[in-house]
Amino acid sequence: KKVAMVIVDGEIEDIDQTSLAKSKLDAVGVHTVGIVIRRSLLHTTDDLRAEASLRPLVTEPQESHFVNVMIDELQETVFKRWCDPSSVWGSWLVDLKTTDTRLPCDFHQQSAECNRDPGCQWDGNLVRCANSPCLQLCSEELCTAADEELRCEFNTNDNSCMKKRACTASGVKECGSDPACRWMNGHCEPIPCKQVTEDACISESNGDCEW
């Protein structure tokens, strides 16, 4: 998809020219995203004026193409989640054609179930389930060239970069041939990691251990 991102920190003054540009973008199928950045938690009068002038320029539905965000949260809220199918942006930017429906990563409360989600990765420092770095790679070229340790894989059906799934065998015998997998409840899954120290976790070759 083609996307035009408009970022403002104040009211748009040349609204006539921008409206004309928006019409031209609409004509060629470009999604226009609007972002108001503010300095504080509270929305000032200037922030609200900026929002009122920008909203008419974004693509419908506005709820998934517009955000008013603090400048310190711009990276985390917008850029890091741009290609995440479970985010407000990814809900229309990523073409989900498979039957899988991803849950937000913070839904997973345990490291094992978090690491099994191809879009998530357990953050040991914050002790929570976070988005996999692979989700930030929006093109097949970037995804393919990613560090091997990230285990990124581009899904051509969804046009998204995800972490490679582990233990995808469809039968008991094939699943059992992989020392890192086990057959449980009718499907193949990674053996839960039982290590509790960093050295033991890193040296563990079996199970879904990831420090």
Side-chain angles (χ1 to χ4, degrees):
K1 290 187 174 68
K2 297 178 181 179
V3 179
M5 184 183 295
V6 183
I7 303 177
V8 302
D9 61 356
E11 185 176 3
I12 299 175
E13 297 179 355
D14 52 347
I15 193 67
D16 292 336
Q17 295 183 26
T18 51
S19 296
L20 178 60
K22 167 65 166 46
S23 299
K24 292 181 178 179
L25 292 173
D26 288 343
V28 293
V30 175
H31 287 256
T32 303
V33 171
I35 301 170
V36 174
I37 52 175
R38 62 183 193 278
R39 297 181 181 278
S40 63
L41 183 63
L42 298 177
H43 293 245
T44 66
T45 301
D46 288 340
D47 296 331
L48 296 176
R49 286 175 177 170
E51 181 173 326
S53 66
L54 182 56
R55 274 189 177 275
L57 302 178
V58 305
T59 301
E60 294 288 348
Q62 292 186 3
E63 291 73 19
S64 61
H65 290 76
F66 176 87
V67 68
N68 187 326
V69 63
M70 288 180 58
I71 190 169
D72 293 339
E73 298 176 353
L74 182 63
Q75 177 78 2
E76 194 69 32
T77 303
V78 179
F79 299 129
K80 283 191 175 182
R81 303 202 64 194
W82 189 248
C83 297
D84 180 358
S86 66
S87 72
V88 64
W89 317 105
S91 62
W92 55 265
L93 183 61
V94 179
D95 291 322
L96 285 179
K97 299 175 183 177
T98 64
T99 56
D100 292 338
T101 301
R102 282 200 58 240
L103 294 169
C105 290
D106 54 15
F107 176 85
H108 303 299
Q109 299 300 309
Q110 303 296 326
S111 61
E113 65 181 36
C114 172
N115 289 330
R116 282 195 288 269
D117 189 318
C120 305
Q121 180 172 304
W122 186 257
D123 189 324
N125 294 322
L126 299 178
V127 195
R128 67 178 179 85
C129 190
N131 286 337
S132 165
C134 299
L135 287 176
Q136 300 177 33
L137 308 175
C138 298
S139 70
E140 184 173 3
E141 291 76 17
L142 291 174
C143 186
T144 304
D147 192 317
E148 291 185 0
E149 292 186 359
L150 295 179
R151 294 182 292 139
C152 297
E153 182 177 52
F154 192 78
N155 188 324
T156 55
N157 289 326
D158 297 342
N159 291 321
S160 62
C161 187
M162 295 280 191
K163 185 174 62 179
K164 290 181 180 178
R165 290 181 179 272
C167 302
T168 58
S170 58
V172 179
K173 185 176 181 180
E174 184 183 359
C175 179
S177 64
D178 188 333
C181 305
R182 68 178 183 181
W183 188 263
M184 286 287 292
N185 301 320
H187 66 274
C188 192
E189 67 176 24
I191 298 173
C193 185
K194 297 181 180 180
Q195 305 299 340
V196 294
T197 65
E198 182 176 0
D199 291 339
C201 179
I202 294 175
S203 62
E204 176 62 74
S205 58
N206 296 335
D208 61 343
C209 293
E210 184 173 355
W211 194 262

